[in-house]
Amino acid sequence: MAEIVLTKVKKVYPGDVLAVRDIDLKINDKEFVVLVGPSGCGKSTILRMVAGLEEITAGTIEIENRVVNNIAPKNRDIAMVFQDYALYPHMTVRKNIAFGLKLRKYAREEIEKRVQEAGRILGISELLDRKPRALSGGQRQRVAVGRAIVRHPKAFLFDEPLSNLDARLRTEMRAELKRLHGRLQTTTIYVTHDQEEAMTLGDRIVVLKDGIIHQVGTPLEIYFQPVDRFVGGFVGTPPMNFLNGKLVAENGGVMFDEGTVKLVLPQNKHTAVEDMVGKDAVLGVRPETMHVADSAHSENIMPVHVDVSEPLGENTDLYVSTASNKSVVARVESHPGLEMGKDIKLAVDMEAAHVFEVGADAKNRTVEHSRFAS
Amino acid sequence: MANANDVAAAKTGAHIEARYSIGHLIVYITLVALALFFLLPFIWQVLTSFKTLLDTERTIWPSVWVPRNYLKVFEQIRFGRYFFNSIFVALWVTTLQVTTSSFAAFAFSRLKWPGRDKVFLLYLATMMIPPVVLMIPNFWIIMRLGLYNSYAGLIVPAAFSAFGTFLLRQFMMTIPSSLDEAATIDGATEWQVFTDIILPLARPGIIVLSIFTFMGNYRSFFWPLILIKDDALRTLPIGLMYFDSVYGQQINLLMAGSVMSIVPLVIVFVIFQRQIISGIQIGAVKG
Ligand SMILES: Nc1ncnc2c1ncn2[C@@H]1O[C@H](COP(=O)(O)OP(=O)(O)O)[C@@H](O)[C@H]1O
Ligand SMILES: [Mg+2]
């Protein structure tokens, strides 16, 4: 029943570096939560405060209904996997994995049993007598995970554990970590700057920027209902396109006027944007919600010029310029006639588009909330 | 693959060429000359140790070889006793200094406490004071502590060292902090982090410091000279002075004793050659 609750958690580093601002977050028992955000947004700081490696400036952190602010890391019953693996170079794999158990005075047979078990689960049984120096990156990664799981802790904390691996191993280990979580069902907080990793691993994702939580939600919520422009732009590859323009009312409908084209908002979205009519707005369009226009499309069509065409197989990424000379990326079904230099027409699926308001709050911070997020 | 091999072969070729270039030849000749130059005093010392007293002032090469000089050293002074004293004191100093330095280095590199880095700067500053300047205050303190003319008087002042602390701190700074953090989460206390993680990883630094400390103390001259009165407490450098004093000047015996006194250093050097060289490099690179 290891629930982790952060209440108004704040971190100020010496030198008045405000790294985390009043974060509220509840991680449920057995949940796999991913903290994601650009480098420097405070992910590691949050994780390290949960681990007890960093003092909490203000607020409380509870693990299993116990406030741990003043509890030493070793008494929090958590395990952490570091980006650089932090394997003890002078100990064999076996000793690395057993170190925590030994310090906790487990019986010799129990230690051996658990080391063997971890070795089996992670496929490193043959490596137990090697030193970390003699292991590949992927193997070191497994040992680091092994060291975390032998203690059967209340929670796992991962700080960018895959970022030192090459792309193929990363995908492989990603799947393995997911499988491991399915098997052990241990509450997990996982930090990464890679949105794809976040999407594939998390039961829920916490999107952070500048020490603030922008959105908490399931991967699909984050993807389909980003609360603001930052989240919309951060999640998804290629990233969401943003068009600047104005909302206008015409012929009983609401349109987004980009200057050279007008895109019609579907009826069911009118109420959400009623008060924005006549004002500046940003339209968010995911590359995969654009299609090459054919006879079936009659509205929301944008004439564009193909600057670069990248066939990926089934799909092709088109880097195009609009009539107003704005760069846009579209991911469309591959077919002939999409070569560089061609002039084509793209149809925008306005059902899937996002409208972000443009403005400033009382503190003069930019506000780019989505009008469609629930 | 063939390409890669070609490149590798080309590289080796270039390497061989470079090794025999004129520039390298000059460097080699210079180094060999320098090495011989540094060996000269030692050669002179060994030659002198086999000379008659008369020869010492007249010839470079002994006209007669007198191995008995070495026996005479034992007859005229308590060489064994001095030798024991030197080793005894140097071992104690080394043990204590390495222990205190590693504690202090851990505190300066790992523990977080207010003013830590300022205190460390003060430590460093003490290294800039010439040792002679400290001789009199140190002597006064040791007198007051009642340690004049004792082993403890020889050992205690050298049991702490800013240089040792500095050397080990620099070494420990290179150990990634995620290791102690992992150990902390694994359940280690500060003490266990020190003994189980940092100390084993700082081993190369500790070996280097041990060697330097041992060699430095074994050779120390001025402090034992002013501190020790009893013949039984004399260390080798002081004991050997008998041969160059008011009781007479026997340079040949002095050199014979010196040659014998070098033996432990040579042994240490032969065993730890690699560490000594890397230690010099630590000093050179890290400054
Ligand atoms: N020990 C520290 N002292 C001062 N500032 C720090 C320290 N650690 C991190 N920071 C700052 O806090 C912010 C968040 O850092 P971090 O949590 O490491 O970000 P992330 O893991 O998301 O990349 C950054 O601006 C970083 O420079
Ligand atoms: Mg980080």
Side-chain angles (χ1 to χ4, degrees), chain A residues 178 194-202 205 219-220 222-223 235-236:
Chain A
K178 199 163 185 178
D194 179 347
Q195 53 92 19
E196 192 183 312
E197 214 168 286
M199 296 292 275
T200 48
L201 277 173
I205 296 177
L220 295 187
I222 300 277
Y223 181 80
V235 174

Side-chain angles (χ1 to χ4, degrees), chain A residues 48 84 87-88 90 104 151, chain B residues 178-179 181 183 185-186 196:
Chain A
R48 292 166 59 81
D84 63 0
L87 301 180
Y88 313 125
H90 56 301
R104 282 158 212 268
R151 283 213 331 265
Chain B
S178 59
L179 289 184
E181 291 174 351
I185 291 176
D186 263 344
D196 292 7

Side-chain angles (χ1 to χ4, degrees), chain A residues 35-340:
Chain A
L35 308 185
V36 69
S39 156
C41 70
K43 312 176 291 281
S44 297
T45 304
I46 295 173
L47 202 69
R48 292 166 59 81
M49 284 191 287
V50 174
L53 296 173
E54 229 38 271
E55 246 172 74
I56 301 158
T57 309
T60 58
I61 294 181
E62 291 162 66
I63 301 176
E64 221 177 22
N65 303 320
R66 179 176 70 144
V67 175
V68 295
N69 286 38
N70 296 314
I71 292 182
K74 62 174 174 145
N75 297 326
R76 295 189 184 193
D77 199 10
I78 42 95
M80 185 156 167
V81 176
F82 294 81
Q83 177 171 356
D84 63 0
Y85 316 136
L87 301 180
Y88 313 125
H90 56 301
M91 299 185 195
T92 59
V93 168
R94 183 191 307 277
K95 288 206 171 126
N96 261 284
I97 297 179
F99 188 65
L101 299 174
K102 226 177 85 194
L103 290 176
R104 282 158 212 268
K105 308 242 179 316
Y106 279 72
R108 266 238 317 271
E109 306 76 56
E110 177 67 13
I111 293 180
E112 186 55 27
K113 202 185 101 200
R114 289 202 189 185
V115 170
Q116 292 296 347
E117 185 192 353
R120 217 173 32 248
I121 294 177
L122 295 163
I124 49 172
S125 301
E126 292 81 54
L127 308 175
L128 289 179
D129 294 312
R130 288 207 203 160
K131 290 264 181 73
R133 186 177 335 114
L135 302 178
S136 71
Q139 291 169 333
R140 285 178 204 190
Q141 178 60 57
R142 280 163 212 268
V143 176
V145 173
R147 196 168 62 182
I149 66 175
V150 274
R151 283 213 331 265
H152 304 165
K154 289 204 188 91
F156 292 137
L157 309 177
F158 290 93
D159 194 352
E160 312 225 7
L162 304 184
S163 50
N164 285 355
L165 301 178
D166 62 50
R168 237 192 67 209
L169 256 179
R170 198 152 57 214
T171 330
E172 199 182 304
M173 277 307 288
R174 198 164 74 189
E176 202 155 320
L177 286 180
K178 199 163 185 178
R179 210 173 308 131
L180 193 70
H181 179 255
R183 176 172 179 169
L184 302 175
Q185 297 279 312
T186 306
T187 311
T188 300
I189 308 181
Y190 186 104
V191 161
T192 178
H193 65 268
D194 179 347
Q195 53 92 19
E196 192 183 312
E197 214 168 286
M199 296 292 275
T200 48
L201 277 173
D203 294 329
R204 274 194 307 156
I205 296 177
V206 180
V207 186
L208 291 146
K209 189 180 152 217
D210 297 336
I212 295 174
I213 293 183
H214 278 239
Q215 187 168 7
V216 181
T218 65
L220 295 187
E221 278 165 4
I222 300 277
Y223 181 80
F224 286 113
Q225 298 172 341
V227 294
D228 57 24
R229 178 173 172 167
F230 169 70
V231 177
F234 188 75
V235 174
T237 28
M240 187 183 273
N241 299 293
F242 296 105
L243 301 173
N244 293 312
K246 232 182 174 76
L247 286 190
V248 292
E250 253 179 55
N251 315 330
V254 179
M255 297 188 176
F256 178 82
D257 184 356
E258 193 258 350
T260 53
V261 286
K262 284 181 182 162
L263 304 166
V264 186
L265 283 174
Q267 200 78 41
N268 59 5
K269 303 213 161 161
H270 286 183
T271 35
V273 295
E274 240 168 12
D275 61 316
M276 282 178 68
V277 170
K279 290 187 189 154
D280 287 343
V282 171
L283 188 76
V285 180
R286 292 211 182 273
E288 51 275 36
T289 63
M290 285 186 271
H291 309 275
V292 178
D294 55 31
S295 53
H297 299 100
S298 57
E299 57 179 7
N300 299 332
I301 293 186
M302 263 194 323
V304 296
H305 177 80
V306 180
D307 298 322
V308 176
S309 170
E310 289 183 349
L312 305 168
E314 189 177 359
N315 294 318
T316 298
D317 282 353
L318 299 177
Y319 295 81
V320 303
S321 345
T322 64
S324 51
N325 220 358
K326 170 104 175 95
S327 297
V328 167
V329 189
R331 176 165 286 183
V332 300
E333 273 181 41
S334 299
H335 64 73
L338 301 176
E339 291 81 18
M340 283 164 67

Side-chain angles (χ1 to χ4, degrees), chain B residues 181-204:
Chain B
E181 291 174 351
T184 308
I185 291 176
D186 263 344
T189 58
E190 297 280 20
W191 176 252
Q192 285 166 327
V193 169
F194 177 62
T195 57
D196 292 7
I197 308 293
I198 302 297
L199 266 194
L201 292 177
R203 223 177 75 121

Side-chain angles (χ1 to χ4, degrees), chain B residues 95-123:
Chain B
T95 311
L96 291 175
Q97 192 180 117
V98 169
T99 308
T100 57
S101 294
S102 59
F103 284 167
F106 183 73
F108 282 124
S109 68
R110 281 318 203 251
L111 304 181
K112 285 177 193 148
W113 41 282
R116 180 183 84 171
D117 295 342
K118 291 202 179 77
V119 175
F120 184 67
L121 270 183
L122 270 179
Y123 249 67

Side-chain angles (χ1 to χ4, degrees), chain B residues 118-161:
Chain B
K118 291 202 179 77
V119 175
F120 184 67
L121 270 183
L122 270 179
Y123 249 67
L124 285 189
T126 66
M127 282 168 61
M128 292 170 200
I129 304 173
V132 242
V133 176
L134 296 172
M135 200 67 86
I136 290 168
N138 267 344
F139 187 75
W140 186 83
I141 293 169
I142 292 298
M143 285 282 278
R144 283 307 175 99
L145 288 172
L147 301 179
Y148 175 69
N149 193 34
S150 69
Y151 282 134
L154 290 178
I155 294 165
V156 171
F160 313 92
S161 148

